[in-house]
Amino acid sequence: MHKEETKNISIELVARREKTKNNLRKTSLLGMFLGPYGICFLLFFAFPLVLGIIMSFSTFDGKSLFPSGFAGFDNYIKLFTNEVLSKDFWSSIWNTIRFALIIVPLSIIIPLGLALLTSLKPPGYKFFRACIYLPGIFPLTATGLILLKMFAFRGGFINSVFNISIDWFGDVGACWFMIGLFCLWCGIGGNFIILCAGLENVDKSLYEAVNIDGGNKIHRFFHVTLPGISSQLFLCIFTTFTGYMNLYGQVYILGTGVADQDEMMTAVYRIQNFLLGSSKSYGYAAAMGICLGVLIIIIAIIQMVVSKERRGNGKHAKAFEKYKKSK
């Protein structure tokens, strides 16, 4: 009896030791893969975020990059009450939102249409799919310089070929049009790839059910395709809108020639100008950044709520399962 108990204890110890080794092996593998990402997350997201929050509650004397005193909510109060600061910041916020409301739908509709065309798999569709994604891998600055040369007011290729005299980068409306064209040219490739993958994963039996019920292509699109790629659409809308709320590089490259710079200022552009102006403005710039981040979070939450309601919590899948059982 004693030998049997000793044997059971030994087996239990061996099993526990093997389990511990397996857990350590899994933990080490997890740390190996997630470690670099964790370090980058701490260095380039968590630390700047904490530092930005601290800066927004601080004052600077211009002698150092570090805070010289604690300001409390003064920076935020002045951001809402100071006539000059409030006007500059909220006008730049409005410029950003206005541009995003126009460009985000186009950044979803155009790649969705292209994805639907390539899903038909015409001859050479793989080549066209690569061409659509290709502009997204070019450097932003290089593409912007090409546009500056092509659409130059004097000697530009477009004005010369079509015999027109439009100051594409001097007029506010024309410049915003060029910035939108720039964003679409460089930005639709990512959404296009995501939507192509979503279309490939739509259950083909749903299309057969629509055909049996006498539905046409419009019914297939609105009742099968769109619900089937709702997750991909939400991802594209969220990432695209968040990206364009941080619009800066495109405006900096193409919009510096406009006389009325206030009309070209986006939120991040305004914050960048504050940071370049004087170290005494660091507190205001940090407060602007925090306000912009909170605004983006609020809009993202609204998007999530609206998207959840439209997805219907799987009501289309449940309806189809009910339909199959009835047959």
Side-chain angles (χ1 to χ4, degrees):
M1 189 69 179
H2 180 68
K3 291 182 179 180
E4 188 68 24
E5 290 179 355
T6 304
K7 182 178 179 182
N8 292 336
I9 293 173
S10 300
I11 294 173
E12 184 178 349
L13 289 174
V14 171
R16 189 180 301 172
R17 191 179 297 115
E18 288 297 324
K19 185 178 180 180
T20 303
K21 288 182 179 179
N22 290 332
N23 290 335
L24 289 174
R25 190 180 300 111
K26 292 178 181 179
T27 304
S28 61
L29 287 173
L30 183 65
M32 186 185 303
F33 284 104
L34 295 183
Y37 172 80
I39 294 173
C40 292
F41 177 82
L42 292 174
L43 287 178
F44 301 111
F45 180 80
F47 175 72
L49 177 61
V50 174
L51 182 61
I53 294 173
I54 294 173
M55 290 176 64
S56 68
F57 292 99
S58 305
T59 59
F60 294 81
D61 55 11
K63 298 179 181 179
S64 173
L65 293 177
F66 297 98
S68 58
F70 180 72
F73 288 94
D74 288 348
N75 293 327
Y76 291 96
I77 294 173
K78 290 180 180 179
L79 193 60
F80 285 90
T81 58
N82 185 281
E83 185 177 351
V84 177
L85 288 176
S86 178
K87 181 181 177 182
D88 288 345
F89 178 61
W90 294 109
S91 64
S92 64
I93 288 285
W94 170 239
N95 288 339
T96 307
I97 293 177
R98 184 170 53 182
F99 178 79
L101 289 176
I102 296 173
I103 203 69
V104 170
L106 294 176
S107 298
I108 303 299
I109 294 173
I110 293 175
L112 177 58
L114 294 173
L116 289 171
L117 290 175
T118 54
S119 68
L120 300 176
K121 297 183 178 180
Y125 76 96
K126 292 184 178 179
F127 171 76
F128 290 108
R129 188 166 58 188
C131 290
I132 293 169
Y133 182 73
L134 193 61
I137 67 175
F138 289 138
L140 195 68
T141 306
T143 307
L145 291 175
I146 293 172
L147 284 178
L148 285 172
K149 292 296 183 181
M150 287 183 62
F151 289 85
F153 181 53
R154 291 183 178 85
F157 175 77
I158 299 299
N159 282 357
S160 299
V161 170
F162 294 98
N163 195 23
I164 55 178
S165 57
I166 300 176
D167 192 358
W168 297 99
F169 305 108
D171 179 72
V172 174
C175 189
W176 275 116
F177 172 79
M178 292 305 304
I179 293 170
L181 182 65
F182 188 13
C183 292
L184 289 175
W185 174 254
C186 297
I188 64 174
N191 290 344
F192 169 74
I193 294 298
I194 293 172
L195 294 174
C196 281
L199 290 173
E200 290 291 330
N201 291 326
V202 176
D203 190 354
K204 303 302 183 290
S205 61
L206 296 176
Y207 292 119
E208 296 176 2
V210 173
N211 292 332
I212 293 172
D213 289 342
N216 53 31
K217 292 182 179 180
I218 296 177
H219 294 133
R220 291 176 59 181
F221 177 74
F222 283 102
H223 296 289
V224 177
T225 303
L226 283 184
I229 61 172
S230 59
S231 299
Q232 288 80 10
L233 282 173
F234 172 73
L235 175 64
C236 291
I237 294 172
F238 175 77
T239 55
T240 305
F241 191 87
T242 303
Y244 287 127
M245 284 298 293
N246 292 282
L247 183 70
Y248 171 68
Q250 295 89 336
V251 182
Y252 180 77
I253 295 171
L254 301 183
T256 53
V258 177
D260 189 1
Q261 281 294 297
D262 286 337
E263 291 294 326
M264 302 305 301
M265 283 291 169
T266 61
V268 177
Y269 202 166
R270 181 71 70 184
I271 294 170
Q272 182 70 15
N273 279 357
F274 264 88
L275 292 173
L276 294 176
S278 170
S279 58
K280 294 182 180 180
S281 303
Y282 284 2
Y284 299 126
M288 288 179 179
I290 298 301
C291 289
L292 177 62
V294 171
L295 179 62
I296 293 174
I297 291 173
I298 292 172
I299 294 173
I301 292 173
I302 294 173
Q303 286 182 340
M304 291 178 65
V305 172
V306 172
S307 175
K308 183 178 180 180
E309 290 178 354
R310 289 188 176 182
R311 286 199 298 267
N313 296 322
K315 67 179 182 180
H316 296 288
K318 293 176 182 177
F320 181 65
E321 290 295 331
K322 185 178 179 180
Y323 168 81
K324 288 198 299 184
K325 291 179 180 179
S326 66
K327 295 295 182 180

